[in-house]
Amino acid sequence: MPIVEAHILEGYASEEKSRLTAALTDAVRFVVPAPDEAITVMLHEYPKEAYARGGVHRAPAPALPKPDRLVLDYLAAMEARELERAEAMLGDSFVMAFPGTAPMTALAQLVDWSKSRYRFVKKSYEAVEAFNSGGAAIVYARGTLSGEWLDGAAFEGIRFIDRFEVVGGKIVRQDVWNDIAEVRAQ
């Protein structure tokens, strides 16, 4: 039965501590073949006054946003064409790759590129999955696309997968795979 103990400073909300214990449980399961109920995670909280680094008392760092929630908020802003809101969720080195085009670094590029493909597109999600890898949160969103072609004809049920990298609470990469070109060619 694995037991994990973590020491944190006071100041994190209950929801943030729950996220931390769930993430530590997931980390153990990645290596040890133990069911959830066999993994114990204990958080030890210390008052800010009991901690100093370099002789200076420090406050805890703010918790990062949930990466899957950040991605869903970004995708909702994009669907609503609230580009300023979406851009606020992007890191300085943001890059996105869509099928059939070179990588883009600005949302306006994506909007211009999509004008020759369809009038609008909406996403229905089957799953959104997040995990940590090499200092980045990786988020996969998958499901189907629906919308309207340039001629006004409706489409639906087109598969997609979006992969995001989130670093420091900002989206730095988006990779998109979908079957829109194959369906449009029919």
Side-chain angles (χ1 to χ4, degrees):
M1 176 169 95
I3 298 173
V4 176
E5 294 187 52
H7 300 262
I8 61 173
L9 290 176
E10 287 179 340
Y12 292 101
S14 293
E15 188 269 336
E16 294 164 340
K17 290 185 276 189
S18 292
R19 286 176 49 208
L20 179 57
T21 59
L24 291 170
T25 300
D26 286 344
V28 169
R29 267 199 325 261
F30 232 60
V31 178
V32 179
D36 284 352
E37 61 273 6
I39 301 169
T40 301
V41 176
M42 292 183 279
L43 297 180
H44 301 281
E45 290 186 275
Y46 294 93
K48 294 178 231 175
E49 300 77 27
Y51 168 75
R53 189 169 13 119
V56 177
H57 291 284
R58 311 281 179 157
L64 293 170
K66 286 185 70 176
D68 49 344
R69 182 75 260 154
L70 174 70
V71 163
L72 288 173
D73 289 347
Y74 163 77
L75 291 170
M78 288 300 295
E79 190 172 298
R81 287 299 185 248
E82 296 172 357
L83 299 185
E84 281 187 37
R85 185 166 71 101
E87 284 175 347
M89 299 176 213
L90 304 179
D92 293 335
S93 61
F94 175 72
V95 65
M96 58 187 145
F98 280 70
T101 188
M104 296 176 270
T105 58
L107 298 182
Q109 290 174 288
L110 173 61
V111 171
D112 288 343
W113 173 74
S114 65
K115 286 179 184 176
S116 66
R117 298 172 63 83
Y118 43 76
R119 288 187 181 172
F120 71 89
V121 66
K122 295 185 179 223
K123 294 182 175 185
S124 296
Y125 301 99
E126 293 174 10
V128 178
E129 300 149 331
F131 59 92
N132 190 51
S133 179
I138 307 299
V139 179
Y140 281 93
R142 61 183 169 85
T144 57
L145 303 172
S146 60
E148 192 174 282
W149 298 118
L150 294 175
D151 65 5
F155 63 84
E156 63 181 3
I158 298 175
R159 298 179 308 164
F160 80 89
I161 296 175
D162 290 351
R163 180 189 181 273
F164 294 87
E165 293 180 21
V166 179
V167 176
K170 298 285 188 174
I171 299 168
V172 297
R173 183 168 185 88
Q174 177 183 7
D175 292 294
V176 176
W177 295 272
N178 63 52
D179 294 333
I180 209 163
E182 289 77 9
V183 172
R184 191 170 74 170
Q186 296 171 358

